Amino acid sequence: MREAHLAAAVLVYFLGSRSRTLSFAFAPSKCRSKTISTSQLCASSGLYRPFCEHALSRLVESGLFEPSTDIPTHLQRNEAPAKGMPPGTLVKIETRALLPRSNNVAYARCALLETILPNEHFSTCGIQVMNLVVFPSPHTNLPVWGVDLVSLPGDKHLLAMDVQPMTKHETYHDLAFQDWHEMYVKNTLEWGGDIPEQAQKFFSPNLLWTRLKGEEALPIIQEHVRDAFVAHLELYLQLVEEYSTDDTLKDNCQEEYLQYRLTNDPARPMLQSLYGAEWTEQLLTQVLFPKQH
Ligand code: DBV
């Protein structure tokens, strides 16, 4: 089993590193690949749109989820002028959600923030954020899949990706995710620094958490982090698909996790400044961290 995981990670790494377009190659067990060249993306796209499109299509393709039409229209998108950028530059936010088709999962949603320069097809500057969370059923011992890819003005990037434990003493991270961590994080991405103490319990030992700076960050994000993201999702899908409902249920902290993220969302000040406090609270409570999925 461990050899298969390693082979999968190596294959994704090899295929991804040779490709110049934004190609997403899956683990061999999936034997499907999807190449999304940036020119194929919609008229105006931001840095993390290819990541978001890939994840949502894989989550539906896996059969675990189906697209949701439940997000209230006014919370599906918003836009605001981008401060300090050329006239006409906007920071656009788009939200997408998925509903469960399997008893092992509960909800998935993605918030995509893109700074779009007028007349540009693919913008990588300014605020670019993909915040993606997959919530497993609270009646399982499965972890949350949490991804926070954040690029801020001044070429500052903050990248977090993890299978976040919702029960104590899980051992799922010992095998597949340890190989992944050795392949994509250990000795390649520097530790991103202190994580708020209250949040630390929500992270696994194989967390990708790094901060990148400067122009060399973009190719690392669009190649190495992209490959890590594709491989991580495949491992998470495998974990969810192979989960046995016979497992003895342990105490689940998903409610506490939701409350923590709702209360301490580090993006709140930025979202309020762009879109206003009332809209931000509705977005956080109704779409991003809803108590009832
Ligand atoms: N983070 C969100 C949502 C975002 C978002 C909904 C829509 O939960 C973006 C946007 N995260 C975002 C931004 C920053 C961070 C920081 C803009 C930078 C804030 C700044 O520095 O100006 C992982 N995201 C962070 C941090 C972590 C994560 C650890 C840095 C520490 C912090 O500022 O809190 N994943 C994220 C997180 C948890 C997690 C906060 C908590 C359990 O699981």
Side-chain angles (χ1 to χ4, degrees):
M1 187 64 159
R2 183 169 180 153
E3 292 68 30
H5 292 139
L6 206 53
V10 169
L11 177 71
V12 169
Y13 191 82
F14 172 71
L15 290 176
S17 59
R18 286 179 48 205
S19 150
R20 284 287 152 257
T21 60
L22 216 46
S23 71
F24 288 97
F26 304 125
S29 57
K30 303 297 176 193
C31 299
R32 288 181 226 110
S33 73
K34 186 183 287 281
T35 298
I36 308 171
S37 73
T38 51
S39 58
Q40 287 171 321
L41 292 168
C42 62
S44 55
S45 299
L47 175 59
Y48 296 115
R49 183 170 290 272
F51 291 74
C52 172
E53 299 289 357
H54 170 75
L56 295 179
S57 64
R58 277 299 292 127
L59 286 164
V60 171
E61 200 176 83
S62 70
L64 292 172
F65 287 98
E66 62 188 21
S68 163
T69 54
D70 294 352
I71 296 180
T73 309
H74 74 286
L75 294 178
Q76 291 179 14
R77 60 186 73 249
N78 204 336
E79 62 185 47
K83 296 183 182 84
M85 303 284 282
T89 306
L90 294 172
V91 183
K92 298 184 174 183
I93 183 170
E94 190 177 314
T95 58
R96 308 264 284 277
L98 301 178
L99 295 176
R101 292 186 61 194
S102 149
N103 293 331
N104 289 350
V105 293
Y107 181 60
R109 86 313 174 270
C110 186
L112 194 63
L113 279 87
E114 300 174 300
T115 297
I116 303 291
L117 287 161
N119 312 317
E120 278 238 338
H121 270 306
F122 187 68
S123 302
T124 59
C125 57
I127 294 172
Q128 305 283 348
V129 175
M130 182 188 78
N131 175 266
L132 191 155
V133 180
V134 175
F135 295 95
S137 161
H139 309 302
T140 69
N141 299 326
L142 286 165
V144 157
W145 189 50
V147 184
D148 224 5
L149 305 180
V150 177
S151 295
L152 299 172
D155 283 329
K156 289 187 298 185
H157 310 272
L158 175 154
L159 308 166
M161 195 180 311
D162 193 28
V163 276
Q164 303 192 272
M166 293 295 115
T167 54
K168 289 186 175 46
H169 317 306
E170 265 316 317
T171 56
Y172 57 83
H173 57 257
D174 289 349
L175 296 170
F177 291 96
Q178 195 167 325
D179 291 340
W180 174 85
H181 194 264
E182 283 167 14
M183 168 76 66
Y184 293 102
V185 183
K186 205 169 170 186
N187 307 324
T188 46
L189 293 173
E190 298 217 348
W191 177 248
D194 291 346
I195 286 182
E197 198 174 330
Q198 295 167 285
Q200 289 173 13
K201 64 190 270 190
F202 298 124
F203 291 100
S204 87
N206 297 304
L207 159 72
L208 183 159
W209 164 240
T210 191
R211 293 176 191 261
L212 301 174
K213 264 195 81 60
E215 286 184 4
E216 66 279 3
L218 273 184
I220 294 173
I221 291 169
Q222 290 181 300
E223 293 183 24
H224 184 76
V225 175
R226 168 207 61 194
D227 293 347
F229 175 78
V230 171
H232 206 250
L233 175 54
E234 292 308 311
L235 292 175
Y236 184 72
L237 289 174
Q238 215 165 327
L239 183 71
V240 175
E241 287 161 357
E242 290 169 2
Y243 178 76
S244 158
T245 48
D246 303 339
D247 281 9
T248 315
L249 283 185
K250 299 173 182 139
D251 290 346
N252 190 297
C253 67
Q254 203 177 115
E255 257 183 57
E256 187 189 345
Y257 173 86
L258 263 172
Q259 191 52 44
Y260 172 83
R261 295 207 65 181
L262 187 57
T263 314
N264 301 277
D265 184 354
R268 186 180 261 108
M270 177 183 76
L271 294 170
Q272 288 176 336
S273 151
L274 285 165
Y275 310 115
E278 186 183 348
W279 190 86
T280 295
E281 285 316 302
Q282 290 182 23
L283 177 79
L284 292 172
T285 54
Q286 296 181 36
V287 181
L288 299 184
F289 302 112
K291 285 205 166 40
Q292 299 305 327
H293 307 315

